[in-house]
Amino acid sequence: MGTGRRFGARGRNARGDRAATRVCRTASLCSALLLAGCGAGGASRVKVDPSRPPPPPETPAPARETGAEAEPADGAAPETPRAGVPAAPGYPPAVRIGARVAEIRTEPAEIVLEAGDSLAVGEDVKTIAYDADGREVKGIRILSNLDSRFAVLEDGYVKGIAEGDAELRMSIRVPPAAGTGPPEVRTFGAPLRVVGPPVAAVEIVDPGVRLLAGTAIRLEARALAAGGEPRRFVEVAWTSDRRRLATVDERGFLRALLPGTVTVTAAVGEIVGARTFEVEENPVVAVEVSGPSRGRTGDVLRYAAVARDAAGGEVAGAPVDFAAAAFETRADMGASVYPDGAFVAERPGLYRVTAGVAGRSGQMLVEVAERGASREIVLTGRGAVADRPTSDLWAFTGTDGRDYVYTGTHAGGQRMLAWDVTDPANPVLTDFVEVDARVVNDVKVNDDATVAAITREGASDRKNGIVVLDLADPAHPVVADTYTKDLTGGVHNVFFAGDVLYAVHNGTFDVHILDISDPDDVEEVGRWGIDRPGKYLHDIWVADGLAYVSYWHDGVYILDVGDGRWGGTPTEPAEVGSFAYEEGNTHVAFPYTNSDGRRYLFVGDEIFGCDDCISRNGHPGDGSRGFVHVLDMEDPANPREVARYEVPEAGAHNLWAEDDRLYVAYYQAGLRVVDVSGELRGDLFRQGREIAWFPTGTPDGHVANSPMAWGPQPFRGHVFVSDLNSGLWVLRVVPRKKAAAS
Amino acid sequence: MSAGAAMAGTLPGLALALMAGGAAAQSPVYRVYVANESSDLVSRVAFTPAAGAVVEKEIAVGVMPGDNDGAHGLSVSPDGRHWYVTIAHGTPYGEVWKFRAGPDTLVARTRLGLFPATMGITPDGQFMLAANFNLHGDMVPSTVSVVYTPDMLEVTKVETCMMPHGSRVRPDGTRHYSACMHSEQLVEIDVATFEVTARFDVTPGLEGALAGRGGEGRHGDHGGGRACSPTWVEPGLGSRANRVVYVACNGNDEVLEVDTEAWEVSRRFPTGKGPYNLEVTQDGELLIATLKGERAVAVFDLGGGAEIGRVATSRPVTHGVVASRDGRYAFVSNESVGSVRGTLDVIDLRSLEVVATLELEHQSGGIDFWPEPSAPGGVR
């Protein structure tokens, strides 16, 4: 924790550098740092002939002479091109000399810095050009650049952002190979590694089992910085002091051989952690397995193993390995069993669950049936919107007792549409609110249905912000206030929590916290955001005093906004935990506690620019992908990813969970309804947990016959779905008919 | 002056155009590309004086249907072989996309800075410089990205000032100019070194060269409550080439002619409300300014130093302007508001009348002339 920032009322500069040790702020120094061996000479003014025309078409421009001819940057005399090097007359000396360059290296050769630290290019990191004989070449200009999420090049300083590898790119201009025409650019790279703070301690985690001769367990080492924060991406060297008794391999697998005392060490550089184990004689002669013998696909079946000695007594703490196997030979007869004895099958069939301790094992057979989750889903009604794309929706009961759905519009939309859905079979468009915007992406209504907030992007004056609506007559909402202060970059999503409205701002990429108790006079009362260059905030959802904030590249952050256990309040959030994953593109998060009391967070990706996907615009790499990550939230400070829901051919968008069903607007795959009852593990799609799907495409859509499901909301027994290409859909999952009594 | 031809009611269909009359078969064809920021579409428009204007093609750009990607700036390479469009909105960094002109196939995508907007290209086509406008959050000095176009490699970023916009390379290719809306600055970059070589304060009443001031500038509103808020810089051509640049003072309703040798304001051109983009005809004699706040363009005779015409545009939020190479026509993009689509107006620079109007997509903005070899005026 600790990466987030909390602002008081009116906020602060949202771009404060994080612990940068040295920061350059003068333009002259910064620009000088981009040059190696060059300086003021490059800044000389040029005398030009105003009558000289621009170069003709198709004819390369003549090389330009510049003031640099007179004096190279570092004051060194310009070097004369050597024999064998193209003289390249007419090119500036810095370009001509570039022809001699065979290599550019940095000094040090590998740039290593800590996250939060900075290195001055030219001082701490030198960029040096060499000829083919390894001699330094002076008098050229080296341009530097860095395109990475782990480090940035600003003001002539390389700044470490987060642990990871990058490359410092160095470019020079050289005469073209053809001998004529404009100079070409040659580029070289130098490796750059951003590391975490130094490791101060290494701990070997207690495996929680006994080490019996003949067994093997995997050890886990934790590397900690001085402040106690865990370090990632560290290389651990494992050793055993008595290899005759127990060996440990480079992955931390400890194999017990003979009884005795052994000390295992885990070293990260010079820092070493150690744990002593007692290898015991293995008394286990049998292993008993207990658990269910039947289940359905997707059920997480729990198995327990008891190791017995020769006398039939239980051998407590014996390390048990679980395994699962199918009797069928089909490749897709999939089932998994986890180290904690949780078994889940993706396909029906007969499986064998084995629990073993050093060659002794017990088995159980489990017969897995089809889950039978599928239900019929039927179309109840439609609110067709064919003249503009539709975005998000919100369904609610108005103060007049009637039911409404408000929908936003996208890409030239400008409007929020009000639908009376009291008769879900016949949604009636009662009115619309038109604002200066081209995207009304989000629509939210407060708990007592008196106020709505809609977001603005693409305003003609680029002021954007939000518009607050008075819902005294919910069929005909009217504008109460337009709030743009510090939200001019556009607002993409909002969420109500009592009198507070959380607004996702496209400019600061912070959550702006607005007091909306007086809808006619909105006021900002706080902000929260992570502190990382390149952050991109997309969504927020609030439930039960916790906010779930989706940062595109940096994962989902859980904030205390009233729960209180972590010290947060609605206007002064406190960070509880976070979870990031390799795929990135974290788009939306929805918390849910199912009827078994299991707490999950469903986190949706929105991945476009996927090289392996079906193209949307005909450009390589613009297809839609992305899936739903399922996080176990028993401890909100430490979310764990336990499952996923992934439709293979499409990309996930907004989602909602209710009554043990997850509703996912899955873009081109339409609405998907998923059974999220019980414990969740593994791949929910492959497990047959899908209850229903409905393709929300139609010939009369804004884009014909092309589902692009945007957002779902179950409401009063129906599922309301907005579709980018076709508007509002009202669907109903048909309950299973009860078997007739015999 | 003529208010131009006004459209009657709505504009049905993409190809509807006002006709100027005449024999189409003998007319030259002028083509422009226009970026539609809120549709993520680029329109290629052909205008034939005798036949009117048509949308020849719409090219989809961007990848995010749920988050507008924002096709903002558009520039055609000097040899007419490629065009570039900045994808401004980003996550959060924007990109420039390079297309082959004609077939309009994507060649490359390159990541730039925050909200890359307008671009300038060196005459040899080797370097494209994009102003990273940075609409994101608190105002801090931003950069101009330098892209080596053969490899589409961003070789460096040059820090300039706050909200740089307008990006142009002067005809001899030695200097690049941009203006910073929030810093009240005109900034000169040496194209040989990609260093900032000069800064010029455009604050009303305080205009002059800046020495030693960084990118933050005056933040506007320091000239007796007035601010220039420069949105564009356009180098002079013809007899004024490489000597002057024109700066659109969006906040002070004037265009400044800045002598870049003496670094002083050499002339002022009062405009209508909100001058935004500028264009100088190839002969250097006419200056055309879009008036974003007035739904019009103003045309100035640079020789005489006076406005010679103000032409109303078909829709509000008048944005970009380019002139045909032969100086006969100006092509003007109009963003419009909300769900009303943008338009392209073609103005006859002799009669100062709108001779064609064409409805495009949403928020039509970035625009450039595509000089085919057979086109009037030849290759740009």
Side-chain angles (χ1 to χ4, degrees), chain A residues 67-94:
Chain A
E69 177 81 55
E71 183 185 358
D74 62 355
E79 298 189 6
T80 304
R82 300 169 63 220
V85 174
Y91 292 104

Side-chain angles (χ1 to χ4, degrees), chain B residues 105-169:
Chain B
T105 48
L106 180 65
V107 175
R109 294 162 49 174
T110 302
R111 197 168 90 163
L112 303 178
L114 292 167
F115 207 98
T118 45
M119 295 166 281
I121 303 175
T122 53
D124 58 21
Q126 294 283 90
F127 291 96
M128 184 276 286
L129 293 92
N132 294 308
F133 188 48
N134 189 6
L135 279 166
H136 301 263
D138 301 303
M139 287 298 111
V140 292
S142 188
T143 58
V144 171
S145 287
V146 180
V147 177
Y148 179 56
T149 61
D151 296 341
M152 285 304 287
L153 195 68
E154 185 195 50
V155 293
T156 193
K157 287 188 177 83
V158 184
E159 184 174 303
T160 56
C161 39
M162 292 188 287
M163 296 182 79
H165 199 261
S167 171
R168 284 292 183 262
V169 178

Side-chain angles (χ1 to χ4, degrees), chain A residues 14-15 42 44-46 48 58 141 145 147 155 169 173 183 187 412 414 438 462 492 509 553 608 617 619, chain B residues 37-38 60 62-63 67 81 91 111 126 136-138 140 153-154 159 172 175 190-193 260 336 339:
Chain A
R15 206 198 138 179
S44 302
R45 299 286 303 281
V46 180
V48 295
E58 305 296 336
R141 297 180 176 83
N145 199 22
D147 181 9
D155 306 340
R169 206 157 56 204
R173 280 194 262 195
T187 299
Q414 194 179 14
R438 293 184 174 87
R462 294 193 186 272
H492 200 60
F509 297 112
H553 308 291
F608 286 88
N617 281 338
H619 306 306
Chain B
E37 184 169 336
S38 286
V63 297
D67 296 281
R81 290 182 177 175
T91 60
R111 197 168 90 163
Q126 294 283 90
H136 301 263
D138 301 303
V140 292
L153 195 68
E154 185 195 50
E159 184 174 303
D172 68 1
R175 293 290 189 274
D190 183 335
V191 174
T193 62
T260 55
S336 195
S339 59

Side-chain angles (χ1 to χ4, degrees), chain A residues 286-309:
Chain A
V287 178
E288 296 174 0
V289 183
S290 61
S293 59
R294 295 180 184 278
R296 301 171 303 164
T297 57
D299 285 348
V300 178
L301 307 176
R302 289 281 177 176
Y303 291 89
V306 176
R308 302 280 182 192
D309 60 21

